[in-house]
Amino acid sequence: MAVFSRAFHGRREQDPALPPGQYLTEDFPVLSAGPTPPVSADDWSFTVTAESGERHAWTWAELMALPAEEPTVDIHCVTRWSKLGTTWRGVSLDVLLEDVDTAADYVLAHSHGGYTTNLPLEDVLDGKAWLAFEFEGEPLEPVHGGPVRLLVPHLYFWKSAKWISGLQLMLDDQPGFWEELGYHNYGDPWREQRYDGD
Amino acid sequence: MAGTALRRRLGHRRLTARLVETRDETATARTLRFAVPGWPGHLAGQHADVRLTAEDGYTAQRSYSLSAPADGEFVELTVQLVPDGEVSPYLVRDIEVGDEVELLGPLGGWFVWRPEQPGPVLLIGGGSGIAPLRAMLRARSAASPPFRLLYSVRTPSDVYFAGELDSPDVTLLYTREAPDGVERTPHRIDAADLTAYGLPAAEEPTCYVCGPTSFVETVTGLLIDAGHDPARVRAERFGG
């Protein structure tokens, strides 16, 4: 049975672009578990490691040489803020994973600073994920994951790992940092998959 | 951020919480004490989601730090008013003793202090970021390792939990206006403050930093410049 809170009325935003339980924000809150790691474009690199151990690596210059896209997407944080119509610039993971030979169904994203998060491989393919290095026409700020972060807008934003350093392809799923700490393994905002068991 | 030994799943549940007591912290912040039958206990530093439901079923939910350590089936939340917010104005201004909300928790397993955790503890809070740190400070016992709290506030009237912070382990760092008798000229926390009032990196304290984003970015930078291992620096950022 529902518990009613006397004298609570609320704001009743009904924007259909907002998933359940989300509210709109115009600013860009920062949420990270530790210090912002100092990562410069010059020493940034990105590695895809297949389950066979085969590695593919890109430097910043090599990333810049790849075809970039400018996705305009809505983003949703598990702490309930959403931003609508944000524009990024980045390289689709379809481009980066094109030549990788794998039978994996899962990826574990690794970040500078030690953060990890897991995703099904199919959730980062077919135009659903990017390595993003610009936000609203500016280089991505360090607090938001600069120089390069993962962008997977259809999942809660903790899946869009900041300061991305690599993807590890895996045959079996393996929870990442927040997933180990009680957050949902998948994190679909439209199904309010916030915490383990939701 | 390694620390695999600290990682484990923490269960949570959704429970009915009845407000039993309130205490104004400042003109715009209030501590709410709830009785929560079935509350499983929590670790200092964890948070809970408050869900409000209007009579017609409309709901809104937000996260708040648990500002007191585990105390049976009672929990305390300390809420800062966000003037254009949807939930905090209700919790700071409108809710009365006897009213009910739903509470989901405890949540979060990273920004926590466990009593069995070895080593000293350095807590650095800015503004309302004091809330989870106060729970950690109060959770310690005589047997606990050394604790140190640095609390950055604008003026004396902005201090939360005034009256319980009068301890040699606690330093209030005023940024705009200090009370009479405080020698430190009001200014934002700097490297000299960390040296004077913090714990040296050589003692390898676990550092917990909580406050607005700009405060957390500044303080975590100062800690790393002072030689603290980034893996021992945990952060919780409030808003933009």
Side-chain angles (χ1 to χ4, degrees):
Chain A
M1 202 177 82
V3 172
F4 296 107
S5 297
R6 187 200 57 80
F8 174 69
H9 304 294
R11 194 182 278 153
R12 285 151 217 273
E13 281 163 354
Q14 296 292 342
D15 190 331
L18 285 176
Q22 296 295 112
Y23 65 89
L24 195 60
T25 185
E26 297 299 334
D27 57 13
F28 195 170
V30 173
L31 292 147
S32 321
T36 298
V39 184
S40 73
D42 287 343
D43 56 28
W44 179 87
S45 69
F46 178 72
T47 307
V48 172
T49 308
E51 71 278 13
S52 62
E54 188 191 352
R55 290 160 59 90
H56 304 253
W58 293 263
T59 63
W60 170 262
E62 287 165 343
L63 183 74
M64 291 302 117
L66 295 173
E69 298 177 359
E70 288 201 357
T72 295
V73 296
D74 302 339
I75 58 175
H76 312 290
C77 179
V78 70
T79 63
R80 295 191 162 72
W81 57 261
S82 289
K83 285 179 77 63
L84 304 181
T86 59
T87 299
W88 305 73
R89 184 170 174 79
V91 175
S92 169
L93 285 192
D94 291 330
V95 174
L96 294 152
L97 294 171
E98 199 172 13
D99 298 326
V100 177
D101 184 24
T102 183
D105 287 325
Y106 302 93
V107 298
L108 190 65
H110 290 266
S111 296
H112 292 276
Y115 181 80
T116 55
T117 189
N118 58 317
L119 306 108
L121 181 60
E122 65 180 16
D123 281 83
V124 300
L125 295 176
D126 298 329
K128 294 197 283 289
W130 295 265
L131 289 192
F133 46 85
E134 282 182 18
F135 174 73
E136 303 295 358
E138 301 288 333
L140 186 59
E141 288 180 51
V143 291
H144 292 303
V148 184
R149 79 177 297 159
L150 189 58
L151 175 65
V152 192
H154 71 286
L155 298 176
Y156 282 127
F157 218 43
W158 89 79
K159 296 286 184 180
S160 293
K162 296 178 180 178
W163 314 296
I164 184 95
S165 63
L167 290 185
Q168 179 187 346
L169 295 161
M170 305 183 301
L171 298 173
D172 298 308
D173 198 11
Q174 178 186 321
F177 178 82
W178 287 122
E179 296 83 7
E180 281 276 0
L181 288 167
Y183 285 79
H184 196 277
N185 196 56
Y186 183 63
D188 180 349
W190 293 94
R191 289 189 277 166
E192 281 207 82
Q193 294 174 335
R194 299 174 188 280
Y195 310 118
D196 185 26
D198 282 347
Chain B
M1 286 194 1
T4 46
L6 289 170
R7 297 186 188 184
R8 63 184 168 93
R9 265 175 215 287
L10 296 162
H12 66 266
R13 34 189 112 168
R14 192 183 299 281
L15 299 163
T16 300
R18 179 183 296 268
L19 186 66
V20 293
E21 192 185 327
T22 69
R23 190 172 59 248
D24 288 339
E25 298 294 347
T26 69
T28 56
R30 181 153 89 149
T31 294
L32 306 171
R33 184 173 171 82
F34 291 97
V36 193
W39 183 254
H42 59 271
L43 295 165
Q46 285 192 286
H47 60 275
D49 279 4
V50 173
R51 179 151 88 166
L52 305 179
T53 303
E55 278 183 9
D56 63 356
Y58 174 86
T59 66
Q61 194 160 319
R62 296 289 185 278
S63 292
Y64 295 100
S65 289
L66 294 158
S67 55
D71 177 18
E73 295 187 330
F74 291 94
V75 305
E76 288 188 18
L77 305 177
T78 301
V79 180
Q80 165 75 44
L81 181 77
V82 178
D84 59 351
E86 183 176 17
V87 172
S88 68
Y90 177 78
L91 295 176
V92 175
R93 302 272 194 241
D94 301 335
I95 190 173
E96 293 175 2
V97 167
D99 288 347
E100 290 183 337
V101 303
E102 276 180 295
L103 212 58
L104 172 68
L107 298 167
W110 174 247
F111 196 82
V112 297
W113 178 72
R114 291 178 164 83
E116 68 274 20
Q117 189 175 313
V121 175
L122 176 56
L123 310 173
I124 306 180
S128 60
I130 188 67
L133 307 182
R134 184 249 193 173
M136 295 184 195
L137 196 67
R138 287 183 48 148
R140 68 176 170 165
S141 68
S144 295
F147 266 63
R148 202 62 64 80
L149 168 65
L150 277 58
Y151 179 14
S152 171
V153 284
R154 284 183 299 175
T155 74
S157 62
D158 293 307
V159 177
Y160 288 23
F161 314 115
E164 44 177 279
L165 297 174
D166 187 15
S167 152
D169 297 337
V170 177
T171 305
L172 272 68
L173 303 173
Y174 296 96
T175 60
R176 300 257 182 89
E177 174 197 331
D180 292 342
V182 171
E183 281 184 24
R184 181 182 172 279
T185 312
H187 63 269
R188 291 188 178 184
I189 187 169
D190 59 18
D193 290 321
L194 276 193
T195 304
Y197 311 112
L199 287 168
E203 291 183 23
E204 301 192 344
T206 306
C207 305
Y208 298 87
V209 185
C210 186
T213 296
S214 59
F215 175 83
V216 170
E217 288 300 310
T218 300
V219 171
T220 55
L222 290 172
L223 286 168
I224 288 161
D225 289 347
H228 292 270
D229 182 348
R232 279 189 283 96
V233 178
R234 301 181 190 203
E236 191 131 286
R237 296 158 167 90
F238 287 170

